[in-house]
Amino acid sequence: MGAIQEPTPAMGPYHVEIRGEGFYLNRADASGDVVTQVSRYEVTVPVADAPLLHAAFDQVTGHPQWQRWPRPAQGEQPDTTWTLPPDKQGPPADTHWTVTVDGDRLSIRGPWVVYHEVHRNLLGTELAYADMTELRKALSAATRGRDQQ
């Protein structure tokens, strides 16, 4: 069980639930014409969502739990075996983030499992705190210099 945070206006349709070593990131209003689940580990959202995602990440890093999560030991390699499907078929998620822009779409692929409930217009995933810094850098690099308004 986590602590559901009150979304800020800057987060738009995103909201977070703080947990022990990570957080849930959810997007309401995630109809199929707005969000696409490309694979178990990849999603596309409007490129205009980049500042909304940064605002959601700001809420996470501003929470006291952010300072308390156990840091990995120096040189410890990422483990994404937890992302394997229940039947253990297929590869686990990538250990690093790939964020690309294609026109007005932002593709995000990395160490997470994405759930897109089209019938409820809900997109959800769980992110480890350990992955936040790299994801923020990849998101910033992919959208740097773009007019996201």
Side-chain angles (χ1 to χ4, degrees), residues 95-110:
T95 56
H96 298 286
W97 293 98
T98 304
V99 180
T100 57
V101 175
D102 183 13
D104 65 348
R105 307 298 299 162
L106 184 65
S107 174
I108 306 170
R109 180 178 176 85

Side-chain angles (χ1 to χ4, degrees), residues 1-4 17-24 65 126 129:
M1 188 93 191
I4 297 173
E17 179 180 344
I18 303 294
R19 305 196 31 94
E21 293 184 22
F23 65 100
Y24 292 126
Q65 188 61 33
E126 183 174 7
Y129 294 137

Side-chain angles (χ1 to χ4, degrees), residues 23-26 37 39-43 80-86 91-94 97 108-116 123-128 131:
F23 65 100
Y24 292 126
L25 174 68
N26 296 294
Q37 182 178 356
S39 72
R40 182 175 173 82
Y41 313 124
E42 183 176 359
V43 66
T80 59
T81 56
W82 65 270
T83 65
L84 286 169
D94 300 342
W97 293 98
I108 306 170
R109 180 178 176 85
W112 62 358
V113 176
V114 178
Y115 301 96
H116 186 199
L123 177 70
T125 190
E126 183 174 7
L127 289 151
D131 294 322

Side-chain angles (χ1 to χ4, degrees), residues 29-98:
D29 190 26
S31 63
D33 58 336
V34 174
V35 172
T36 305
Q37 182 178 356
V38 178
S39 72
R40 182 175 173 82
Y41 313 124
E42 183 176 359
V43 66
T44 65
V45 298
V47 72
D49 279 16
L52 309 177
L53 288 165
H54 278 295
F57 299 157
D58 288 345
Q59 187 176 64
V60 171
T61 58
H63 191 276
Q65 188 61 33
W66 169 256
Q67 299 301 324
R68 295 188 196 114
W69 68 273
R71 302 318 201 243
Q74 187 173 1
E76 185 177 338
Q77 295 300 309
D79 177 14
T80 59
T81 56
W82 65 270
T83 65
L84 286 169
D87 64 5
K88 305 291 188 225
Q89 298 299 308
D94 300 342
T95 56
H96 298 286
W97 293 98
T98 304

Side-chain angles (χ1 to χ4, degrees), residues 11 16 19 24 32 41 48 62 90 92 120 141 143 145 148:
M11 293 167 56
V16 298
R19 305 196 31 94
Y24 292 126
Y41 313 124
R120 293 179 52 206
T143 58
Q148 299 163 3

